[in-house]
Amino acid sequence: MKLLTIVVKPSRSDGVKRALSTIGTGGATIISAQGFGTQKGHSETYRGASYEVDTKPKTLFKVACKDDDVENIIRAVREVANTGEIGDGKIFVTELNEVVRIRTGETGEDAIKENNYE
Amino acid sequence: MKLLTIVVKPSRSDGVKRALSTIGTGGATIISAQGFGTQKGHSETYRGASYEVDTKPKTLFKVACKDDDVENIIRAVREVANTGEIGDGKIFVTELNEVVRIRTGETGEDAIKENNYE
Amino acid sequence: MKLLTIVVKPSRSDGVKRALSTIGTGGATIISAQGFGTQKGHSETYRGASYEVDTKPKTLFKVACKDDDVENIIRAVREVANTGEIGDGKIFVTELNEVVRIRTGETGEDAIKENNYE
Amino acid sequence: MSELEYALNTFYLLISGAFVMWMAAGFTMLEAGLVRSKNVSEIVTKNLGLYSIACVMYLVCGFFLMYPGDSVYNAYFPMLGSTWGITLDGLTFNSDLGYSDAADFFFQVVFVATAMSIISGSVAERMKLIPFFLFAIVLTGFIYPVQGYWKWGGGWLDAIGYTDFAGSGVVHLCGAAAALAAVIILGPRSGKYSSDGSVRVMRGSNIPIAALGALILWLGWFGFNGGSQLAVNDAANANAVAQVFLNTNASAAGGVIGALLIAKVLTGKADVTMAINGAIAGLVAITAAPDTPSGGLATIIGFIGGIIVYFSVVFLDTVLKIDDPVGAISAHGTVGIWGIMATPLSGAGAFGTQAVGAISIFLWAFITSAGTLLVLNAIVGLRPSEEEETTGLDASEIGVEAYPEFKD
Amino acid sequence: MSELEYALNTFYLLISGAFVMWMAAGFTMLEAGLVRSKNVSEIVTKNLGLYSIACVMYLVCGFFLMYPGDSVYNAYFPMLGSTWGITLDGLTFNSDLGYSDAADFFFQVVFVATAMSIISGSVAERMKLIPFFLFAIVLTGFIYPVQGYWKWGGGWLDAIGYTDFAGSGVVHLCGAAAALAAVIILGPRSGKYSSDGSVRVMRGSNIPIAALGALILWLGWFGFNGGSQLAVNDAANANAVAQVFLNTNASAAGGVIGALLIAKVLTGKADVTMAINGAIAGLVAITAAPDTPSGGLATIIGFIGGIIVYFSVVFLDTVLKIDDPVGAISAHGTVGIWGIMATPLSGAGAFGTQAVGAISIFLWAFITSAGTLLVLNAIVGLRPSEEEETTGLDASEIGVEAYPEFKD
Amino acid sequence: MSELEYALNTFYLLISGAFVMWMAAGFTMLEAGLVRSKNVSEIVTKNLGLYSIACVMYLVCGFFLMYPGDSVYNAYFPMLGSTWGITLDGLTFNSDLGYSDAADFFFQVVFVATAMSIISGSVAERMKLIPFFLFAIVLTGFIYPVQGYWKWGGGWLDAIGYTDFAGSGVVHLCGAAAALAAVIILGPRSGKYSSDGSVRVMRGSNIPIAALGALILWLGWFGFNGGSQLAVNDAANANAVAQVFLNTNASAAGGVIGALLIAKVLTGKADVTMAINGAIAGLVAITAAPDTPSGGLATIIGFIGGIIVYFSVVFLDTVLKIDDPVGAISAHGTVGIWGIMATPLSGAGAFGTQAVGAISIFLWAFITSAGTLLVLNAIVGLRPSEEEETTGLDASEIGVEAYPEFKD
Ligand SMILES: Nc1ncnc2c1ncn2[C@@H]1O[C@H](COP(=O)(O)OP(=O)(O)O)[C@@H](O)[C@H]1O
Ligand SMILES: Nc1ncnc2c1ncn2[C@@H]1O[C@H](COP(=O)(O)OP(=O)(O)O)[C@@H](O)[C@H]1O
Ligand SMILES: Nc1ncnc2c1ncn2[C@@H]1O[C@H](COP(=O)(O)OP(=O)(O)O)[C@@H](O)[C@H]1O
């Protein structure tokens, strides 16, 4: 399994959520973040003094998935989050040794399979 | 070493903190998050128009630990965070190559051992 | 490539940002967090009743980098974030299988190389 | 009239005016609380600016346009003049008027600002600052005074017997009609209505200050309605002012109950933003005749106002797709009409005349506002770019985040 | 009395009443600032609703119950009547009363709302909306007016010489006694006290608006106490009103200093929430006799009030485990008793009579409230489910988050 | 003068005083909105505390120092006395004064608090509570009353014909001069200016409550200026009060427009914090002579005040590196001087005399404040440790976070 860390512009966050639901990853965990990269900050004025805003707001998704799904997810995320403008974000792929579903104790791929309870 | 990413309901977050302290992981880093999974959102009304809340608040813990502690921590977390209801959360286990304690420069397991300074 | 998770005191966060920019990691993603470890909380009084604050505010950086840069980054971060006081934070190093730049679809080290577009 | 009576009347008008000035804070808080946080600094700026512009324009030409004395050449358009140079030297013991001219001006000027405040809420989150202020100049210097003259300056609406004690029509419907024109011309906020017809909810960012805004308006309304008796120097006037206070309060209470009840019954939740709109609705509804109903009837007029505002908000938002972030068109417009038409219930005004008043004020404000806004749109453009709107107007127009330390 | 004097008195009562109405905003902000953010919309709704209910109930029956004129059949329970139909036609130059009946009603109605506002803070975060509003109907329509009649309507407490200028007892202690009954019946907020007896601190979510609330109350209190002289038409009355303003302000200042000082000395920190409670304590303490003490004595009465409120809050919270999120029982109840008992210090009232007043008001309000609440609990249930309480009442009752964009 | 006139004057002074008391809420909100969230509880506490201290000190000695009657031994230092024991028994129909002595005291005491409120904003985020309160004792009990006596108590500034209707100098410049001394002695907030000379921007945490603060001040100023006529019992006085209301409002409006316009022209953004400072600047500018200019001239005086405050804020912050978080020194000091010097524009006061007034008040307040603060610094230390300052004074001084649930 893999653990994806997806960083996108906040305005694309709803799209990513929908894309992930459609693919059926079973879920995601979402965090507000700030980022910088090729995209630099910009300068603002406050009470006549100027200052640098050196980061931009981003949304970070943690998604656990089967190895096979990685490609699909990357494609789907790129589709909705790629505006062609600098600062669109990155996808980081890391190895996931194990997952546990707290409620049931299921492990491995079972733990992230969408289940039909309720 | 392993890096655990633990996602739980916010109401269980105090319990998880206590459980981790008891086991003596040496520490944790905690982040507010939103999540979706088997547990879907629900719909709300605002000024007569209804809308979907598609995520639920969650709390995310990052915990670095020795390989041997993984099992213990999973058990302890499940004990406090398992309400039997859908949405209780997941534990993700990934390999941790190296840790550095910024203050001392210690690395490896030493860096996450609780130390008695102060 | 490696994915570093760097936890520091919020007051050091600007310094870390500057250090990363100087080294030229190409970027970082930053998240507000709370932490505990060797450094415990402290007790406060509110309306005559005392309570425990069991965590301290921290800032978490996610930085993807080439294997060669890890050492440099650790050194640079320690330089700005090490106050010698307990609670200065940790650096966690994990393996990064793959990175994708959402905008261009570039992968691997290209995806995190600062590029000159714009 | 003795000098002392004159003095008491003047003092009473000044205190009333100060209460109405306070309504500027009410609108500012209400609107700041009901928009998203990325547009809060901008709406605050608009409110501070529009109030200031109203004060200057009314001094430059508005007051004289509205109260031209004998110099009016006809009953429709008054003659232009100026009160810019008003000084203490020119003020004497004006016992015909019964209070100081300067107090009169002050009491009137805060009303203009109220009318304009209604508009800022409706166009929130998507109208640029410069055209908004240019429009404020036209509305407060011209559009408002002309129809104000029709009724309070002794024009034709007054002549036919149209009743409007403190301005359900002259102030509230006028402002709401201008707001409606603006909202139609601007279109909804970006992302508010999807192509599939579904409505995206954009929630207010700070409910307690929105409620504070409503409570400020409630307090200010005692000056708004209570001061409109214009005299408190004998028993008859004092009794009238007292009845006005009693009824204004009763109607607002009725409005809260009406809106809360209907929201709870229809959705199961006691939507606090509807309670807020309900309070304002109750206040607007009683404004056309706060002196004549009994306390009980005032409560009922407000209660019905609260129910009307609920349905009007939902209907505009989800059926007509008219995007009014704070519900001002419903609270001041729809309910303003209810207030005007309800005066005959307590024997004040006749149904037909009231209808003529409502229609003519609505048309005048709607048409002149639409015209002005279309011209402004052609010259400077009313809307920010979509990018600016998505990022929030605080960043592009003001450069100051409202809550820089609170994550969103 | 001349018509002009009558007019001035009426105007003075109306302005005083408007200031007291403003206290509704004070309680709303105070309580919204001192609860956790997940219950802010709910407490705002309760405050808007309770004020409105108080206005209607007092119009329907409360006023007449409290001021029944000759029609009372005994000194304990006045006869029921109605002021629902009060209109301008019925108002004449009532020179016996000295001011307009309508102004009188308005000034009285805002007092009822104050009494009820005290309760909403104490039951915050854990009482359902519907039973709260039902209780508000009973308290404002019956419980408050009956004991109000005892003193201000000419009942037995007045006859025995109990002194209560503006209502340390009739308003504040009455509200606090009802609050105490409610808090005992409801129990503490879920999670507040652990089984091991330790107290969990639940911090207020917005300190500046809590402070704003206290400052609004401070301002409103000039109407509350200042208006209770009921006349300002000659030198003696004017001097009395002036002394009341001076003393009310001095006592509030003393309260802030007392509470801050004791907090700083005992905990090393100048707890701002205690300063807020201290201000209110100072105001409550002076309310029983704001006209008789010197400015210096008023300061000391407030100062002691500030110290009392500190210890009362801590004692209720940590020893008695009575969970009062905003400290209302302490500020209005404990300090209300102090205010009643302190009147002899400036020669007003006798110790014994004051004690009879405090005890009888407390018992009446406590017992009738407890009874009503137990009945409501049996019928509709007072508390939300634990799940709802943990999630916050904004979600389950109102459907509107107070601060949807600020993370918590 | 009849008793009724006396009564009306007294009532008018009391209401005016209540409006000025309300300015305490204005300063509290303004300052709470313009500091960073980690210092919000602290600044709220300072404001509640300083107001209370001002009330006590003025009662103990300030009032008598400022208005010593015949007992003054020279025109520079009045004799010490006390109003601590002021009671109703001592109040009679004082027809020479024309209003109740107690009302006079109340109206004066709220002015002292205003002067002290100016200072709290300037020293925000870096001055410890205890020395701040000790300084408040000295300023409100001694520094302010002495120069107040010079003008309003019949001292030498009054004798030479210095004009200061409501206190551009006596209140605002006095407060700002003390603030300047404090800011220079304290130094800038830690991290504000880097060694390379660059300025670090520290943004206000809550813009809507800062705007609310400005609007509260605007309302309160009607009492501040309007009440300073001290009588409203005949046509001449009533007209004067009315003109004062009109001009105060016009000048504030001018100030908003001036500051917004210059900000927009120079930076492209309509900085809302400058609009807020502009409103206050307009109010301060007109305060020295709100009765004599025409409405138009008042607007222009305010407009220029708005432009001055903009440049003054930027100049102090970026050139002189005087760190004034809320811009109080500019709004009350720089613009206070403008107000004093502008009175001859409407024929009130002579240029030279006004300059003498401004300079003497400035020097007195600056020097005595600096002396007091240096002594306090030596004894208790004015500044918290750098660690405490970085963490925020809420944690170290108050123990209560202002917004515990909103992440930063
Ligand atoms: N090396 C990195 N490590 C972690 N996050 C990064 C890194 N580089 C960029 N990011 C994240 O991706 C976001 C977009 O990257 P950026 O380089 O600005 O644009 P683009 O990916 O379009 O070239 C950044 O704001 C940051 O959140
Ligand atoms: N594939 C996933 N990747 C990352 N986080 C997930 C994933 N699936 C679920 N989560 C997180 O776990 C939480 C609970 O998961 P959910 O499937 O709703 O319930 P349960 O684990 O009880 O079946 C989610 O809200 C989300 O934060
Ligand atoms: N085992 C751990 N897993 C994850 N984060 C940790 C762990 N231990 C410490 N941290 C993080 O590092 C921060 C500093 O650690 P701490 O042990 O208090 O001080 P130090 O590193 O100086 O010894 C903590 O507040 C927490 O955010």
Side-chain angles (χ1 to χ4, degrees), chain B residues 44-51 53, chain D residues 201 203-204 271 273-274 277 326-327:
Chain B
E44 289 278 3
T45 312
Y46 177 77
R47 294 176 73 66
S50 73
Y51 65 100
V53 178
Chain D
V201 163
R203 291 177 293 166
D271 187 332
T273 68
M274 286 297 185
N277 281 147
V326 306

Short mmCIF file of all heavy atoms in Angstrom, two decimals, chain B residues 44-51 53, chain D residues 201 203-204 271 273-274 277 326-327:
data_model
loop_
_atom_site.label_atom_id
_atom_site.label_comp_id
_atom_site.label_asym_id
_atom_site.label_seq_id
_atom_site.Cartn_x
_atom_site.Cartn_y
_atom_site.Cartn_z
N GLU B 44 -27.03 20.03 6.10
CA GLU B 44 -27.42 21.07 7.04
C GLU B 44 -28.27 22.10 6.31
O GLU B 44 -28.24 22.18 5.07
CB GLU B 44 -26.17 21.80 7.55
CG GLU B 44 -25.30 20.99 8.49
CD GLU B 44 -25.82 21.01 9.92
OE1 GLU B 44 -26.89 21.61 10.16
OE2 GLU B 44 -25.16 20.41 10.79
N THR B 45 -29.02 22.89 7.08
CA THR B 45 -29.78 23.99 6.49
C THR B 45 -29.23 25.31 7.00
O THR B 45 -28.94 25.43 8.18
CB THR B 45 -31.26 23.90 6.91
OG1 THR B 45 -31.71 22.57 6.71
CG2 THR B 45 -32.11 24.86 6.10
N TYR B 46 -29.07 26.27 6.11
CA TYR B 46 -28.63 27.61 6.52
C TYR B 46 -29.48 28.61 5.77
O TYR B 46 -29.49 28.61 4.55
CB TYR B 46 -27.15 27.80 6.19
CG TYR B 46 -26.60 29.18 6.49
CD1 TYR B 46 -26.30 29.58 7.80
CD2 TYR B 46 -26.37 30.10 5.46
CE1 TYR B 46 -25.79 30.84 8.07
CE2 TYR B 46 -25.85 31.37 5.72
CZ TYR B 46 -25.56 31.73 7.02
OH TYR B 46 -25.05 32.98 7.28
N ARG B 47 -30.21 29.42 6.48
CA ARG B 47 -31.09 30.39 5.86
C ARG B 47 -31.99 29.73 4.82
O ARG B 47 -32.18 30.24 3.72
CB ARG B 47 -30.28 31.54 5.24
CG ARG B 47 -29.56 32.36 6.33
CD ARG B 47 -28.68 33.44 5.80
NE ARG B 47 -29.38 34.58 5.25
CZ ARG B 47 -30.14 35.41 5.97
NH1 ARG B 47 -30.29 35.21 7.25
NH2 ARG B 47 -30.73 36.43 5.40
N GLY B 48 -32.53 28.58 5.18
CA GLY B 48 -33.52 27.93 4.34
C GLY B 48 -32.97 27.13 3.17
O GLY B 48 -33.70 26.42 2.50
N ALA B 49 -31.66 27.22 2.93
CA ALA B 49 -31.06 26.43 1.84
C ALA B 49 -30.25 25.31 2.45
O ALA B 49 -29.55 25.51 3.44
CB ALA B 49 -30.16 27.32 0.98
N SER B 50 -30.34 24.11 1.87
CA SER B 50 -29.59 23.02 2.49
C SER B 50 -28.27 22.82 1.78
O SER B 50 -28.09 23.13 0.61
CB SER B 50 -30.41 21.74 2.49
OG SER B 50 -30.46 21.23 1.19
N TYR B 51 -27.30 22.32 2.52
CA TYR B 51 -25.98 22.09 1.96
C TYR B 51 -25.36 20.88 2.62
O TYR B 51 -25.78 20.46 3.68
CB TYR B 51 -25.08 23.33 2.15
CG TYR B 51 -24.78 23.66 3.58
CD1 TYR B 51 -23.57 23.31 4.17
CD2 TYR B 51 -25.72 24.33 4.37
CE1 TYR B 51 -23.31 23.61 5.51
CE2 TYR B 51 -25.46 24.64 5.69
CZ TYR B 51 -24.26 24.27 6.26
OH TYR B 51 -24.01 24.56 7.57
N VAL B 53 -22.31 18.92 4.37
CA VAL B 53 -21.02 18.97 5.06
C VAL B 53 -20.38 17.64 4.75
O VAL B 53 -20.85 16.60 5.20
CB VAL B 53 -21.22 19.11 6.57
CG1 VAL B 53 -19.87 19.11 7.28
CG2 VAL B 53 -21.98 20.37 6.87
N VAL D 201 -24.18 27.20 -0.30
CA VAL D 201 -24.36 28.00 0.90
C VAL D 201 -23.04 28.68 1.25
O VAL D 201 -21.98 28.05 1.25
CB VAL D 201 -24.83 27.11 2.06
CG1 VAL D 201 -24.62 27.79 3.39
CG2 VAL D 201 -26.29 26.76 1.87
N ARG D 203 -21.60 30.73 4.29
CA ARG D 203 -22.01 31.05 5.64
C ARG D 203 -21.35 32.30 6.22
O ARG D 203 -20.20 32.59 5.92
CB ARG D 203 -21.71 29.85 6.54
CG ARG D 203 -22.63 28.68 6.21
CD ARG D 203 -22.31 27.47 7.03
NE ARG D 203 -21.01 26.93 6.67
CZ ARG D 203 -20.36 26.05 7.41
NH1 ARG D 203 -20.89 25.62 8.53
NH2 ARG D 203 -19.19 25.59 7.02
N GLY D 204 -22.10 32.99 7.03
CA GLY D 204 -21.57 34.15 7.72
C GLY D 204 -20.43 33.75 8.64
O GLY D 204 -20.47 32.67 9.24
N ASP D 271 -32.84 28.77 13.30
CA ASP D 271 -31.76 29.48 12.60
C ASP D 271 -31.59 30.90 13.15
O ASP D 271 -32.44 31.76 12.98
CB ASP D 271 -32.09 29.51 11.10
CG ASP D 271 -30.97 30.07 10.27
OD1 ASP D 271 -30.18 30.90 10.77
OD2 ASP D 271 -30.86 29.66 9.10
N THR D 273 -29.69 33.29 12.22
CA THR D 273 -29.61 34.38 11.24
C THR D 273 -31.01 34.83 10.85
O THR D 273 -31.22 35.97 10.46
CB THR D 273 -28.83 33.98 9.98
OG1 THR D 273 -29.57 33.00 9.25
CG2 THR D 273 -27.46 33.43 10.32
N MET D 274 -31.97 33.90 10.95
CA MET D 274 -33.35 34.28 10.67
C MET D 274 -33.92 35.09 11.83
O MET D 274 -34.71 36.02 11.62
CB MET D 274 -34.20 33.03 10.42
CG MET D 274 -33.94 32.40 9.07
SD MET D 274 -34.40 33.52 7.70
CE MET D 274 -34.12 32.43 6.29
N ASN D 277 -32.71 38.54 11.14
CA ASN D 277 -33.52 39.17 10.10
C ASN D 277 -34.93 39.47 10.62
O ASN D 277 -35.54 40.47 10.25
CB ASN D 277 -33.62 38.28 8.86
CG ASN D 277 -32.39 38.35 7.97
OD1 ASN D 277 -32.00 37.38 7.33
ND2 ASN D 277 -31.75 39.51 7.92
N VAL D 326 -27.02 39.23 3.00
CA VAL D 326 -27.49 39.52 4.36
C VAL D 326 -29.02 39.58 4.47
O VAL D 326 -29.56 39.85 5.53
CB VAL D 326 -26.91 40.85 4.89
CG1 VAL D 326 -25.39 40.84 4.79
CG2 VAL D 326 -27.47 42.05 4.13
N GLY D 327 -29.71 39.37 3.36
CA GLY D 327 -31.17 39.39 3.41
C GLY D 327 -31.76 40.79 3.51
O GLY D 327 -32.90 40.97 3.95
#
